[in-house]
Amino acid sequence: MPNIKLRTENILEVSNPKMRISWKTIVHQKQLIFMSFPFLLYILLFSYAPLWGWLTAFQSYTPAKGIFEQQWVGFKQFEFLFTDERFIRMLRNTIAMSVINLVLSFVTAIILALLLNELKNMLFKRTIQTISYLPHFLSWVIVASIVQTCLSTEGGIVNEVLMKLHIIDAPILWLSKGEYFWGVIGAANVWKEVGWNTIIYLAAIAAIDPALYEAAEIDGANRFHKMRYITLQGIRPTIMVLLIMSIGNILNSGFEAQYLLRNGMVLDWSDTIDIFVLRYGIGNGNYSLGTAAGIFKSIANIILLLMANYTAKKIGEERLI
Amino acid sequence: MIKSIKRINIGDMAFNLFNTVFMLLLAVVTLYPFINTIAVSFNDGMDTIRGGIYLWPRVFSLQNYKAVFITGTVFNAFFISVARTVLATVLNIFFTTMLAYTLSRREYVFRKFITVVFVMTMYFNAGIIPNYLLIRDLHLMNNFLVYVVPSLVAAFNLIVIRTYIRTLPDSLAESAKIDGAGDFRIFMQIIFPLCMPVLATVALFVAVGSWNSWFDTFLYCSGRQELSTLQYELMKLLASATQTNNNPAMANAVGVDAQTARNLVTPISIRAAITIVASTPILLVYPFLQKHFVVGLSVGSVKE
């Protein structure tokens, strides 16, 4: 693994103050303009133009009319959302599963990275790494299919192993009990991504100055001291940056796995905001309500991101923005 | 002194032993479900129902794969999946690198503005419904282009490639400029060929994303069977499996004719075979690109 430092350069870069947009520079840079403006128009169309669609959240949208001919209803859709028991339940599910996933994925990836770093045989380490990346490249459809097979009550490997070990007496219906659903999603997520999530930590570990370990050794530190006080401290900035980014995504992380693994018996536990948008927005043709739920999610995400960033700044940690 | 060294060594050895065992366990947990799926896919369908297939097939049979490929739907879906992946990857790489090149030129006057417009898109998303309405208004519903056009340039890949171009020596472009080459020529003949290491990784990410997606088919193209993709066919099988357990009618969901379904193959075997077909192409490629992953990922935690 190449020895790279976590880049903290400025994405936007400080622009050259002498640079002015004038007719002369435009003519001079016409090739650059030809090579970039089509993409500017492209992104404006595909990422910015849909924001007009947010207006539908303040309307009672019917597909037959244009967006300005609709009936305006103000915040009625939002009021409806927050008095709707189903939406509150889906909000709860989204937050619960996101928090579970966040905690599990951070803890497991950091532990695995620390343990991988302690492997001395490079070939063995590489092999384990390659194997651990495998599930990341499988689609959620395939992972859901695998989870279903493994958790099956008829010869599913999880139930069989638990019964062989006499931890349980009868097969458990993992996917039919709402109480297990969050845990199943958390475990599936760890299985799929734990190896992949170690990549960035291992890169950060590789960037730690080896002299620190030597100095600690002279001072009598053992392996665990070094792991705890040097390696873990060394990757702390990385952990913080990734944590802030994940917190900004906390309402985003619930669709594919939940949609593919849910069934009629666990809907109260499995459905998330995105599934709500899909079911009531597109499924029932209630575009306004679906859009309102989507807007709530986007805005809540940005607020969470800014809050996490602000907190990190306050406590003197590495931050994103 | 000697005593203390010995004690440390024993502690170390215990730790190494534990660590090795742990890693082997991890490898088993990761690989087992996959190996089991391979075994089921090569096992006789009726025999699989009896259970007890673990690491290798008991009654070897190619019937499942035959059933998958003789039915037009799955074969067609495979073709659509390949087409969308190849097209999306090629166009993505070319366009993103071209834009990244312009944004790497320090003298370019619109550089900062365009960068901001793209970076902003990493932090917000209009949402499912506004995007759905846009696709509908652009007449991309039930159209093959919907697999390629909406994701031609992604901000994240753009930053990754631009950061890489920045590491190339400026003198390359400068000397070509003195020799009279325009920016497009510099990009095509000098910069693009030099970007191959980073493009290998970005291409893998784009290809995996395109190959693995089923939601766009589900949302935009479910009205036309001939535009269905492999992942979506698998998703339909999965969905019918959650509704009704072990119903032979499930096999019909992918168009396996009733006779074949009754006699030779079962939904579980068909699902296993499609899973293997859908995952093999990527699994054959990724180990060779492993050493480049870190470059692509580390930019993800760039500070703005």
Side-chain angles (χ1 to χ4, degrees):
Chain A
M1 191 152 290
N3 208 13
I4 64 129
K5 258 172 62 184
L6 191 69
R7 272 177 258 259
T8 46
E9 66 166 311
N10 196 334
I11 291 192
L12 303 177
E13 289 156 350
V14 187
S15 59
N16 182 353
K18 277 177 285 183
M19 201 169 65
R20 287 271 154 68
I21 301 174
S22 68
W23 190 241
K24 205 179 134 206
T25 47
I26 288 178
V27 171
H28 190 65
Q29 299 183 346
K30 61 181 183 301
Q31 288 208 12
L32 288 173
I33 290 172
F34 275 123
M35 286 162 74
S36 58
F37 269 54
F39 303 110
L40 184 63
L41 294 177
Y42 168 84
I43 201 78
L44 290 176
L45 176 62
F46 278 94
S47 290
Y48 289 85
L51 290 178
W52 281 112
W54 280 19
L55 289 177
T56 54
F58 305 96
Q59 300 169 331
S60 179
Y61 186 82
T62 42
K65 294 187 218 159
I67 198 157
F68 295 108
E69 298 151 20
Q70 306 283 344
Q71 186 200 344
W72 294 88
V73 295
F75 284 91
K76 206 188 94 191
Q77 307 288 2
F78 291 92
E79 277 165 33
F80 180 77
L81 274 186
F82 288 103
T83 50
D84 185 3
E85 207 181 298
R86 293 168 310 183
F87 182 76
I88 302 295
R89 202 162 50 221
M90 290 179 193
L91 184 61
R92 176 204 69 178
N93 293 343
T94 309
I95 294 172
M97 280 186 269
S98 291
V99 171
I100 291 171
N101 283 348
L102 192 109
V103 173
L104 280 182
S105 65
F106 266 82
V107 172
T108 53
I110 291 166
I111 292 174
L112 183 60
L114 290 175
L115 291 179
L116 275 169
N117 187 49
E118 297 295 321
L119 289 179
K120 296 290 172 271
N121 183 332
M122 280 303 135
L123 182 68
F124 184 61
K125 184 180 168 190
R126 277 300 280 275
T127 312
I128 294 291
Q129 277 182 276
T130 308
I131 292 172
S132 73
Y133 298 159
L134 183 145
H136 171 79
F137 292 100
L138 302 176
S139 69
W140 265 114
V141 180
I142 290 175
V143 174
S145 168
I146 284 174
V147 168
Q148 229 180 49
T149 313
C150 289
L151 295 182
S152 148
T153 47
E154 297 151 28
I157 191 74
V158 173
N159 278 322
E160 284 206 0
V161 168
L162 289 178
M163 274 161 68
K164 284 259 162 62
L165 296 173
H166 298 289
I167 295 171
I168 54 171
D169 301 323
I172 294 179
L173 289 154
W174 295 106
L175 287 168
S176 310
K177 290 247 170 68
E179 309 88 87
Y180 297 142
F181 195 82
W182 296 352
V184 170
I185 292 288
N189 218 33
V190 168
W191 184 77
K192 191 175 189 299
E193 303 294 344
V194 65
W196 187 254
N197 289 339
T198 59
I199 292 181
I200 194 130
Y201 295 122
L202 287 170
I205 289 173
I208 296 172
D209 185 358
L212 288 174
Y213 292 103
E214 284 157 25
E217 225 159 278
I218 291 164
D219 290 345
N222 66 22
R223 208 161 174 172
F224 302 102
H225 291 141
K226 283 189 275 179
M227 258 162 103
R228 175 143 182 237
Y229 296 105
I230 302 175
T231 316
L232 206 53
Q233 285 301 311
I235 61 174
R236 213 169 76 164
T238 313
I239 298 175
M240 287 312 290
V241 171
L242 293 181
L243 199 61
I244 295 168
M245 294 206 301
S246 309
I247 288 173
N249 263 325
I250 219 158
L251 296 182
N252 261 345
S253 52
F255 180 71
E256 281 195 78
Q258 287 87 343
Y259 191 81
L260 294 166
L261 282 170
R262 71 207 257 279
N263 61 56
M265 281 167 282
V266 296
L267 296 185
D268 284 352
W269 302 85
S270 65
D271 283 12
T272 61
I273 297 179
D274 287 325
I275 296 179
F276 179 90
V277 173
L278 197 68
R279 270 175 70 190
Y280 297 98
I282 292 176
N284 295 353
N286 197 341
Y287 292 150
S288 292
L289 189 64
T291 308
I295 292 178
F296 164 72
K297 205 187 79 168
S298 293
I299 291 178
N301 269 336
I302 290 176
I303 292 172
L304 284 169
L305 178 75
L306 293 175
M307 269 166 48
N309 196 56
Y310 179 79
T311 315
K313 188 176 168 183
K314 273 278 155 191
I315 59 175
E317 285 288 355
E318 191 79 21
R319 59 192 183 277
L320 194 64
I321 300 169
Chain B
M1 189 64 195
I2 289 166
K3 221 177 183 177
S4 80
I5 288 173
K6 209 173 169 190
R7 217 189 54 219
I8 289 169
N9 280 350
I10 289 171
D12 255 17
M13 270 164 63
F15 178 81
N16 284 337
L17 185 70
F18 159 79
N19 204 2
T20 310
V21 170
F22 176 82
M23 291 299 167
L24 290 174
L25 213 64
L26 179 86
V28 169
V29 170
T30 308
L31 288 179
Y32 174 77
F34 200 69
I35 292 170
N36 179 248
T37 311
I38 297 177
V40 169
S41 77
F42 281 108
N43 197 59
D44 181 76
M46 294 320 278
D47 182 64
T48 304
I49 294 178
R50 281 174 44 221
I53 305 293
Y54 298 103
L55 294 172
W56 44 79
R58 189 167 46 213
V59 182
F60 184 84
S61 155
L62 288 174
Q63 207 58 51
N64 304 317
Y65 287 95
K66 252 186 216 154
V68 165
F69 280 106
I70 53 164
T71 55
T73 28
V74 178
F75 190 74
N76 188 62
F78 181 78
F79 176 74
I80 294 285
S81 282
V82 171
R84 67 169 289 181
T85 304
V86 171
L87 201 62
T89 310
V90 170
L91 293 179
N92 230 293
I93 288 298
F94 183 73
F95 289 152
T96 311
T97 315
M98 185 156 87
L99 183 60
Y101 167 73
T102 68
L103 300 183
S104 75
R105 304 301 308 158
R106 284 183 198 281
E107 76 274 15
Y108 183 35
V109 284
F110 297 109
R111 189 196 71 201
K112 193 173 174 187
F113 171 67
I114 297 174
T115 310
V116 173
V117 169
F118 272 88
V119 167
M120 291 267 284
T121 64
M122 292 202 286
Y123 296 102
F124 76 87
N125 185 332
I128 298 174
I129 291 177
N131 283 325
Y132 178 83
L133 296 177
L134 176 79
I135 297 293
R136 198 194 58 186
D137 293 344
L138 293 174
H139 300 287
L140 287 173
M141 298 288 282
N142 292 317
N143 184 335
F144 178 76
L145 290 176
V146 80
Y147 292 143
V148 179
V149 175
S151 52
L152 276 182
V153 179
F156 181 80
N157 298 339
L158 181 69
I159 302 297
V160 170
I161 298 175
R162 197 212 58 184
T163 309
Y164 184 84
I165 294 177
R166 268 299 167 69
T167 65
L168 302 173
D170 271 341
S171 52
L172 284 171
E174 293 308 322
S175 58
K177 204 157 255 181
I178 291 164
D179 291 343
D183 278 302
F184 188 68
R185 211 163 141 205
I186 295 174
F187 163 68
M188 285 299 283
Q189 296 189 344
I190 299 173
I191 303 298
F192 193 65
L194 286 174
C195 286
M196 285 310 153
V198 72
L199 295 188
T201 321
V202 174
L204 179 75
F205 291 167
V206 174
V208 168
S210 184
W211 178 263
N212 278 348
S213 63
W214 56 275
F215 189 60
D216 46 10
T217 317
F218 172 73
L219 200 55
Y220 303 130
C221 289
S222 47
R224 271 177 73 187
Q225 178 61 43
E226 67 267 32
L227 286 178
S228 184
T229 55
L230 209 49
Q231 301 288 343
Y232 184 57
E233 289 302 316
L234 199 55
M235 182 261 172
K236 284 197 288 189
L237 265 184
L238 190 73
S240 56
T242 36
Q243 302 311 325
T244 54
N245 263 333
N246 289 335
N247 178 357
M250 249 192 277
N252 288 327
V254 283
V256 177
D257 68 277
Q259 188 68 26
T260 326
R262 227 181 354 260
N263 295 339
L264 299 161
V265 297
T266 63
I268 292 171
S269 313
I270 287 286
R271 208 168 82 192
I274 300 183
T275 299
I276 299 305
V277 173
S279 48
T280 311
I282 286 164
L283 300 187
L284 289 180
V285 178
Y286 89 87
F288 301 99
L289 295 168
Q290 196 174 328
K291 65 172 184 286
H292 299 301
F293 292 162
V294 63
V295 181
L297 282 171
S298 57
V299 184
S301 40
V302 169
K303 200 168 124 180
E304 199 180 319

